[in-house]
Amino acid sequence: MTKRLCSLLSLALAAGLTPLTTTIADETPRPAPPATPASMPTLADLQPAAARAKVRLSLPDWEQSPAALQASVDESIRRVDAALDKIGAQDRTKLNLDNTLRALDDETYPILKVANRVGLIEQTSTDKAMREKATELSKILSEWFVKTSFREDLYQVSKAYAASQPELEGEDKKLLQDTMRDYRRRGMDLDVQKRKQVEALQTELSNWGIEFQKNVNEAKTPVVFKGDELAGVPEDFLKKVKTGENEYTVDANITWQFINVMENASPEATRKRLKIARYSRAKDTNLALFANMLGNRRKIASLVGYDSWADYKIAPKMAKTAATASQFLERLRTGLQPKFDAELESLRTLKAKHTGNKDARIELWDMRYYLNQLKKTRYNVDTEQLRVFFRYENVLQGMFDIFQELFELKIQEIQAPYRWADGVTLYAISDAGTQAPLGLFYLDSFPRDGKYNHFAQFGITPGKLLPDGRYQRPVVAVVGNFPPASEDKPSLLTYDNVKTLFHEFGHALHSILTQARYTTFSGTSVPRDFVEAPSQMLENWVRDKEILDRFAFDYRDPSRKIPAPVLAKIEEARLGTIGSLYRRQLSFGIMDLALHTDPDGTAFANLAQATNAILSDVYVPVPPDTAFIAAFGHLAGGYDAGYYGYAWSDAISADMASVFKQSKGGLMDRAVGKRLREEIYAVGDSRDVNESIRIFLGRERSLDAFFQQIGLTDKPD
């Protein structure tokens, strides 16, 4: 997942500036991080190369107190407002690209950087007061972005410049087209009363989205178990969650803890308790909030001329219409039905054998456990035993080595002048040939109290061409929650963890390798139904034996690699369980589109019951009296009417990966890697992504590779 703020010119006015965080427990301030070794390169060491390349390579001045954070936001709003006032007051007969669209991109840039810092601080700070202040300021900034996007003077300047019919090409032409499109979509051509109504609805929607996320962040979901209730769970995990004599506390809001128990705990009652806790997070507060959000979305869509919020949100994306997105999901649902049915029967047979009940049925809390058991019994794949091959440090360096070679890069750790927590590291990426710096990224890999509890890339400093002619190189953060080291063992990742690391690093590369001139087109600022594709594609590298052998070796005996037959079984297991895994994803996407195409809200009057019914129909029955939707942050924070994009992007990523697989050098073909870097990563959204994909592929798009990837030999109708 990638998290970013959009620029003024392409502001996605949906709610939610930031993603979910984990439950907050210990709120004591953390000590200052230990000093970085003096022998490590510094940012200053890279400045001569930056000067030669005419780029600006810089880190933020990180605010370290609530007062400093407040001051930064206040000053940024004051300065940007003053600059925008001047743009809006210009003589309409003297407009040009520099004093309109470029000026807007330049003058809103500082507040984007501040907003990105606020968002990251909210999710990663070890200080509760800082997190709370950041949440407060997120609302202020969100309201400012909404208000600014509806400014009449800026609209009239842009409209007057567009009316002059300037002769523009390439990125400049697209900037003008997208700017006027977005103004129309905001309802700026409506009468004043309706426009103000849209603005008020958007402001409410934005604030409710932030409140939704905050409620999930603060949800208290500890579930206490006795030792025998966690039978089957790895001993290493039990050590990390032990809270008393024969007492273990598992937090259902912390993903890695939840998954570990759901995949390994043999007592069904344990899995059921934890699943219900997970699916009940924030339901007392967020169900009403989300219902309000749906209402505002319907009203906005109607006011600006769309049949539904889904049509409104999808119009500027690749799919274009809700009908197209829905047809895509339903085609996959139908195509996967035989596989899904067969897999469910295999799981049911396992449960019947395990419980001695020939009439056993598979419940939602059984899915992860019996999928894991199926991999062990039918495919002889034990994910826990594979951990010894994936020591975190080895995987990280191996990943760096692979993509340094493939994309002709240099990745080096440098001293971090400031780190928000122990263990946060800072890296610089440069071009291997010219030594030109390309960007910086922080890595915050392990869980702690008060931190975002999943995996995402956060934008910090977007790339853009500065008014002085230099290019501001991007800064991002990759935030994760990998299993931490224990007293007697290093951090050992699961195979899925490794895929996740490659995926999130793909987002970082997409951001850092950008060459787009404008912030609004920079890096991952692409249509949401494409944004996952360049990172999903890198997961293919984790399935290749030769590439895995570079870094996947037993940390106790480096001569031991994962045997080829084991990898073959892993692939067989993937294909043998993908129907279940994909149907789960499809259930979320289908539910999302149903929510956002309901014309008057009557179909979802009972929100929890109606959404649970869809999830139950597409996947497996959801426990009654739970409310998955109440903590489904995707639909409150930017993926609303867009969750289909994961599958849509996955289809594109499979097609793009096929270019590597069919090339002479395979997945390490440098010529194809260069084309990916130049035609996908560097371009961002500075041209239509359909054109970028076509140029990279050297042909039109195809679904063949995707159907093969998910094990469908016959193309779904």
Side-chain angles (χ1 to χ4, degrees), residues 455-472:
F455 302 88
Q457 181 231 238
F458 289 73
I460 301 173
T461 304
K464 95 172 237 78
L465 184 65
L466 300 171
D468 65 8
R470 292 182 298 165
Y471 195 95
Q472 172 68 58

Side-chain angles (χ1 to χ4, degrees), residues 654-670:
D655 204 16
M656 293 198 301
S658 72
V659 178
F660 279 95
K661 294 174 182 178
Q662 294 164 11
S663 67
K664 183 178 179 180
L667 292 176
M668 294 307 297
D669 193 297
R670 294 189 187 184

Side-chain angles (χ1 to χ4, degrees), residues 74-85:
D74 290 345
E75 178 63 11
S76 179
I77 288 175
R78 185 191 68 79
R79 286 180 176 272
V80 175
D81 277 343
L84 296 180
D85 288 345

Side-chain angles (χ1 to χ4, degrees), residues 380-391:
N380 197 29
V381 173
D382 189 332
T383 54
E384 286 301 312
Q385 290 184 1
L386 284 172
R387 283 180 185 267
V388 297
F389 295 99
F390 298 125
R391 180 173 181 165

Side-chain angles (χ1 to χ4, degrees), residues 101-120:
L101 305 188
R102 281 182 184 163
L104 287 170
D105 194 72
D106 290 339
E107 299 299 349
T108 56
Y109 186 61
I111 200 167
L112 290 171
K113 294 190 291 184
V114 171
N116 284 344
R117 291 203 300 278
V118 169
L120 185 62

Side-chain angles (χ1 to χ4, degrees), residues 4 37 40 52 58 313 466 480 507 593 642 711:
R4 61 176 173 80
M40 190 176 292
R52 289 192 297 272
S58 60
K313 286 298 294 289
L466 300 171
H507 285 309
L593 290 178

